[in-house]
Amino acid sequence: MNNVAQSPCDSNVALFDAIAKDIADSGYSIQAKALPQPLLDTLSDQVQAMPASDFKQAGIGRNSDHQLNQVVRSDEICWINNDNDAGADWLEWVESLQAYLNRHLFLGLLSTESHFAHYAPGDFYKKHSDAFKGQANRVLSMVVYLNRDWLADNGGELLIYREEDSQAAIKVTPNFGTIVVFLSEDFPHEVLPAQRDRFSIATWFRRHNSNAIQ
Ligand code: OGA
Ligand code: MN
């Protein structure tokens, strides 16, 4: 493992602090050009070098009906582990954010899960929630975008809705290095189709270790 994620911590602290303040104030945070550049480059290179066979059709909830799944989302995913430097660096960075948020927001986050996602041109993820009240153990959702030179008319925006509000409240362009964090129960969201390949990481911070909801 190299130590990209440990390199100068000052920028991380400023970023983590901004995320914590936003979450406390409004439940979500959008940070442009946020991720440390070496980590961003490593992740972007990694995801674009991965063979298509590493990616699998994504599932929704505990539903294993793939035909139904494809109506809701058509992207492909690959879970991230410590097998390679890029994955290990990402998980380490996520852990340091988790520790920071636990110290400052007392969220009691116990574990995380992360996957790369690839949306081929035309792929989408219809409006959904990452967690449901009562049964939720996903507390925070985070997405980071790994596409260099994303153009405004490339599509693929993330639309974040306020609960109970069918009007799209926030539109996020998936620019290189932008990070979005939000309370999983409170913000239904969707991914609009893009004109080009769209690469990202989705991470969830969890309160309990239980069966993964994918
Ligand atoms: C998800 C998701 C948003 C995005 O994977 O659950 O909502 O912008 N991703 O990729
Ligand atoms: Mn989601």
Side-chain angles (χ1 to χ4, degrees):
M1 186 194 314
N2 62 42
N3 61 4
V4 166
Q6 291 155 349
S7 61
C9 292
D10 291 357
S11 59
N12 276 342
V13 170
L15 172 63
F16 292 175
D17 189 54
I19 292 173
K21 286 208 168 77
D22 283 351
I23 297 293
D25 287 352
S26 60
Y28 73 92
S29 184
I30 301 167
Q31 302 288 334
K33 297 192 185 125
L35 211 61
Q37 194 65 43
L39 179 57
L40 186 56
D41 288 336
T42 304
L43 292 165
S44 178
D45 292 348
Q46 168 79 16
V47 74
Q48 272 158 105
M50 281 162 54
S53 57
D54 282 5
F55 288 88
K56 305 280 177 260
Q57 172 74 50
I60 44 165
R62 295 201 157 92
N63 191 332
S64 57
D65 179 340
H66 275 262
Q67 253 166 343
L68 175 63
N69 287 347
Q70 276 166 35
V71 177
V72 178
R73 68 187 297 186
S74 56
D75 60 317
E76 293 198 322
I77 64 163
C78 175
W79 290 98
I80 297 178
N81 55 39
N82 283 308
D83 286 356
N84 57 73
D85 282 352
D89 286 345
W90 173 251
L91 296 180
E92 192 176 347
W93 190 86
V94 165
E95 260 181 44
S96 55
L97 174 57
Q98 176 185 312
Y100 190 93
L101 294 176
N102 278 340
R103 249 181 285 127
H104 291 81
L105 298 180
F106 309 107
L107 289 175
L109 306 171
L110 282 179
S111 65
T112 69
E113 55 188 343
S114 293
H115 65 58
F116 290 113
H118 171 222
Y119 291 71
D123 280 350
F124 56 83
Y125 194 162
K126 296 242 167 89
K127 188 174 173 184
H128 66 281
S129 285
D130 288 346
F132 297 96
K133 289 213 161 71
Q135 66 183 62
N137 51 22
R138 283 178 168 174
V139 177
L140 276 181
S141 301
M142 176 164 72
V143 189
V144 56
Y145 300 107
L146 302 177
N147 319 281
R148 290 192 174 86
D149 306 317
W150 196 265
L151 301 175
D153 62 0
N154 288 154
E157 293 93 347
L158 169 67
L159 297 185
I160 302 175
Y161 299 86
R162 292 178 201 281
E163 212 179 9
E164 317 293 347
D165 187 351
S166 58
Q167 297 286 3
I170 309 143
K171 194 176 202 175
V172 184
T173 302
N175 287 322
F176 196 41
T178 291
I179 291 178
V180 184
V181 188
F182 55 90
L183 291 170
S184 302
E185 285 185 358
D186 292 354
F187 296 93
H189 52 280
E190 73 175 300
V191 179
L192 300 179
Q195 327 297 325
R196 52 178 275 202
D197 290 301
R198 177 191 193 270
F199 293 99
S200 59
I201 295 175
T203 291
W204 293 276
F205 297 86
R206 306 173 74 101
R207 209 164 258 150
H208 304 288
N209 267 312
S210 65
N211 297 334
I213 302 173
Q214 297 176 13

